[in-house]
């Protein structure tokens, strides 16, 4: 079976490369051609070519509009796999549109940034009909270390937003800790060592602490993408009548960081909003 992959951005390109390395017959498309076609994959000239040739098409696109723009009118026999992050409401509409066009639909947003995407150690959260999930699960193995079933659509996207609530508040708090330490003249390298040795240490805290010490904001997960996720979380909380005080503050901090010209920097660059 030929598999399609649409969207070769920071996350999509390494994910597609892992599929190609695993021997999947892959056809890919991206809005811009930056010479980023993974070795072993075929580049299509249009998204329509991808859907015409693939039995399963993976979408790793940044916006709801970008997704809507690539979908063809007919999807008979095709399973569409939405691996990006959009609102749960959009995903429900997308599932209905795909079904009306004769296709199957699977939500499969992932937890992880560029590093895990490159190493194939993302965590996928999946939702959809069982027959569609059965077709998709083997394709997730080269990209993901673990796949977690989240029930019906939009359960996977809601779970992704819950995960990102913790991620965003944790990294923002870490940035504030380094801002506090630097403001008191402490050695931030010592702070990093203390945190790395203690019970709060994690792969995320170690990676982001290193960036904060070194001032290295090369992107793993960008300010722009984190702000988008933050806004989705706050909107979903409001629709449910839930308070989200931490994420309300985080949203403002990431918006300020983007306005300062750091939208494409790593999310740890949120510390620049503190300094400003």
């Amino acid at each position: 079976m030929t598999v399609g992959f649409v969207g070769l951005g920071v996350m999509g390109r390494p994910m597609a490369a892992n599929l190609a390395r695993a021997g999947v017959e892959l056809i890919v498309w991206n809005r811009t051609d930056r010479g980023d076609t993974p070795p072993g994959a075929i580049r299509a000239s249009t998204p329509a070519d991808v859907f015409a040739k693939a039995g399963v098409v993976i979408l790793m696109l940044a916006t709801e509009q970008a997704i809507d723009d690539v979908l063809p009118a007919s999807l008979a026999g095709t399973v569409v796999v939405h691996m990006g992050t959009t609102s749960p409401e959009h995903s429900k509409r997308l599932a209905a549109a795909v079904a009306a066009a004769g296709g199957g639909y699977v939500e499969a947003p992932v937890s992880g940034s560029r590093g895990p995407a490159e190493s194939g150690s993302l965590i996928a959260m999946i939702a959809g009909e069982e027959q569609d999930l059965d077709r998709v699960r083997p394709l997730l193995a080269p990209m993901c270390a673990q796949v977690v079933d989240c029930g019906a659509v939009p359960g996977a996207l809601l779970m992704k937003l819950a995960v990102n609530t913790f991620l965003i508040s944790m990294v923002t708090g870490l940035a504030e800790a380094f801002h506090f330490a630097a403001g008191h003249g402490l050695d931030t390298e010592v702070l990093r060592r203390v945190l790395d040795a203690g019970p709060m240490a994690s792969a995320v805290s170690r990676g982001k602490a290193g960036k904060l010490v070194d001032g290295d904001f090369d992107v793993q997960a960008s300010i722009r993408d984190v702000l988008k996720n933050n806004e989705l979380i706050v909107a979903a909380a409001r629709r449910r009548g839930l308070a989200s005080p931490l994420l309300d503050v985080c949203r403002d901090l990431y918006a300020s960081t983007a306005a300062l010209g750091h939208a494409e920097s790593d999310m740890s660059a949120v510390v620049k909003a503190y300094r400003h």
Side-chain angles (χ1 to χ4, degrees):
M1 179 182 66
T2 298
V3 173
F5 201 107
V6 176
L8 301 176
V10 170
M11 297 284 288
R13 202 277 178 188
M15 291 165 68
N18 284 330
L19 281 172
R21 274 194 293 269
V24 174
E25 187 176 308
L26 196 65
I27 182 169
V28 302
W29 180 84
N30 196 51
R31 183 177 55 188
T32 57
D33 186 351
R34 298 186 291 262
D36 50 6
T37 302
I42 297 170
R43 192 179 193 97
S45 57
T46 67
D49 290 340
V50 175
F51 282 95
K53 295 174 182 176
V56 173
V57 177
I58 295 169
L59 305 179
M60 193 62 182
L61 296 167
T63 68
E64 297 175 3
Q65 189 62 56
I67 293 169
D68 295 343
D69 287 347
V70 301
L71 287 181
S74 176
L75 288 165
T78 302
V79 176
V80 176
V81 186
H82 175 22
M83 295 194 75
T85 306
T86 60
S87 72
E89 290 74 20
H90 173 262
S91 185
K92 287 180 71 173
R93 294 194 300 271
L94 185 60
V98 169
Y105 179 73
V106 170
E107 275 183 348
V110 292
S111 179
S113 56
R114 186 178 68 182
E118 291 171 344
S119 63
S121 56
L122 296 166
I123 308 300
M125 294 148 277
I126 59 172
E129 298 295 331
E130 196 57 42
Q131 68 270 17
D132 299 324
L133 295 173
D134 287 343
R135 290 183 70 183
V136 170
R137 281 191 183 96
L139 299 173
L140 298 176
M143 300 181 285
C144 303
Q146 190 170 345
V147 177
V148 181
D149 197 315
C150 297
V153 174
L157 269 167
L158 285 168
M159 187 64 71
K160 170 68 184 291
L161 295 184
V163 168
N164 278 3
T165 299
F166 178 51
L167 170 67
I168 294 169
S169 56
M170 175 176 60
V171 174
T172 310
L174 185 70
E176 186 164 322
F178 276 84
H179 176 68
F180 177 90
H184 283 81
L186 300 178
D187 186 336
T188 56
E189 173 58 33
V190 174
L191 172 60
R192 174 169 69 168
R193 294 205 306 269
V194 172
L195 291 174
D196 285 355
M200 295 177 290
S202 67
V204 171
S205 72
R206 289 188 173 101
K208 300 307 183 190
K211 286 183 170 295
L212 289 161
V213 170
D214 298 336
D216 166 25
F217 301 116
D218 184 45
V219 67
Q220 293 288 328
S222 73
I223 291 288
R224 173 178 50 81
D225 288 340
V226 171
L227 176 58
K228 183 194 83 169
N229 277 260
N230 200 145
E231 289 171 336
L232 289 173
I233 293 165
V234 170
R238 294 294 178 275
R239 283 191 292 270
R240 196 72 171 182
L242 300 173
S244 58
L246 286 177
L247 271 290
D248 292 348
V249 172
C250 290
R251 174 194 54 199
D252 294 343
L253 286 166
Y254 284 93
S256 295
T257 310
L260 290 169
H262 306 293
E264 302 308 319
S265 297
D266 186 74
M267 68 183 296
S268 53
V270 71
V271 74
K272 293 181 180 292
Y274 285 103
R275 294 170 183 165
H276 180 74

